Amino acid sequence: MKIEVMVLLTIASICASIYFGLSNFRRIQKSDDKKEAAESTSMFVKMENISNGVTEIKSDLKSIRDENKESRERLIIVEQSAKQAHKRIDKLEGVED
């Protein structure tokens, strides 16, 4: 009878150890999953911010290109005007000579 009680206690303690070990593993797994979800969310937010920054940079670059194009067009007009002014000056100098 003593041996049976000891065997039963041993089996009960082994079962309890397995149960508590598994429940502890599940608890740790849930905690790790929560941490991973928080890190993933943080990473997603950071990537979204980077994406918004890139979009702003593209927009700024487009406006700079438009301004540069406008400046080039104005420069061409000024150069043509300067060329015509030089021709007129040359004609005036020819008249005075």
Side-chain angles (χ1 to χ4, degrees):
M1 181 82 179
K2 270 186 165 182
I3 295 177
E4 291 176 11
V5 172
M6 299 274 275
V7 170
L8 285 175
L9 283 174
T10 303
I11 291 173
S13 66
I14 289 172
C15 289
S17 296
I18 291 171
Y19 171 76
F20 289 120
L22 288 175
S23 66
N24 189 34
F25 176 75
R26 287 185 195 142
R27 182 180 57 84
I28 291 172
Q29 187 67 32
K30 285 181 185 178
S31 174
D32 288 347
D33 289 346
K34 285 180 183 179
K35 268 189 208 176
E36 188 174 317
E39 289 174 0
S40 295
T41 303
S42 174
M43 187 68 69
F44 179 74
V45 168
K46 288 178 182 178
M47 289 176 65
E48 191 69 29
N49 289 338
I50 290 171
S51 175
N52 290 340
V54 168
T55 303
E56 286 179 26
I57 290 171
K58 284 181 179 179
S59 174
D60 291 345
L61 185 59
K62 186 176 186 310
S63 68
I64 289 171
R65 282 182 185 158
D66 291 342
E67 289 174 6
N68 192 11
K69 183 179 178 182
E70 183 181 316
S71 295
R72 273 187 272 140
E73 290 171 356
R74 292 179 66 196
L75 178 64
I76 291 170
I77 293 169
V78 168
E79 285 177 341
Q80 289 172 351
S81 177
K83 187 186 278 186
Q84 290 176 358
H86 281 291
K87 286 181 183 178
R88 281 185 251 139
I89 291 171
D90 288 342
K91 284 182 184 178
L92 286 176
E93 286 179 353
V95 171
E96 291 178 5
D97 286 338

